[in-house]
Amino acid sequence: MRILIINGPNINLVGSRETHIYGNMDYNKICDLLYERAKDLGVSLDIVQSNIEGEIINFVHNARDKYDGIIINPAAYTHYSIAIYDALKAVLVPAVEVHLSNIHAREDFRKRSVTAGACIGQISGFGYYGYILAMQALIHKVQDGLK
């Protein structure tokens, strides 16, 4: 099974920005832990990050016919990117939306996700472990034939 993790704007600064919200674990360390866990789960994993909406859309488009699942943390684009929503709907690759913080316990504008409606589920508030939960969920969904 092949999974693509797509991280949006400012995720590359995790570990140094707003550590009271996102924790102090460095982004590269999180990626290393996710690669290790994917290996344990028997999953081929790629991780990409961009601060640019169009690049995120291209990552989604390029996942078509290449990946069995997408895990996406659209970050701030979560709240207004219809373009990312449309891309996720168009590629027909099951996706799970992940957020490091609990977006429902934060500012009002963060409680609404435009992109979650294009995903099979959303996980928020568990830090980097949310990505692991998403990998496990995608494995089970794909094995059950529920694309």
Side-chain angles (χ1 to χ4, degrees):
M1 178 166 184
R2 297 198 66 193
I3 294 177
L4 175 64
I5 295 178
I6 303 171
N7 287 304
N10 302 309
I11 302 298
N12 57 311
L13 299 179
V14 167
S16 63
R17 75 177 268 247
E18 297 177 282
T19 56
H20 63 288
I21 295 172
Y22 301 108
N24 58 9
M25 187 180 295
D26 177 82
Y27 176 72
N28 291 323
K29 176 66 174 167
I30 291 172
C31 292
D32 290 343
L33 290 171
L34 295 175
Y35 284 123
E36 285 177 33
R37 189 64 179 126
K39 184 178 176 183
D40 293 342
L41 293 169
V43 170
S44 173
L45 181 67
D46 291 316
I47 303 173
V48 294
Q49 186 276 331
S50 179
N51 296 316
I52 301 168
E53 185 178 27
E55 286 183 359
I56 293 168
I57 292 164
N58 288 339
F59 293 147
V60 172
H61 287 184
N62 292 332
R64 187 179 188 170
D65 299 323
K66 186 175 180 184
Y67 292 94
D68 301 298
I70 296 170
I71 297 169
I72 186 164
N73 183 342
Y77 292 129
T78 299
H79 316 295
Y80 65 88
S81 182
I82 294 169
I84 292 174
Y85 168 92
D86 286 345
L88 289 166
K89 293 292 276 189
V91 298
L92 302 175
V93 177
V96 176
E97 183 174 288
V98 170
H99 298 283
L100 297 166
S101 68
N102 181 353
I103 63 172
H104 303 287
R106 296 188 59 197
E107 303 93 338
D108 283 342
F109 73 89
R110 294 190 195 275
K111 294 177 183 177
R112 179 172 179 260
S113 173
V114 171
T115 51
C119 298
I120 61 173
Q122 180 192 71
I123 299 168
S124 71
F126 295 100
Y128 79 89
Y129 195 71
Y131 293 98
I132 295 169
L133 294 170
M135 275 192 269
Q136 292 170 330
L138 281 170
I139 290 166
H140 291 291
K141 285 284 193 178
V142 170
Q143 285 175 348
D144 290 345
L146 302 174
K147 289 190 174 188

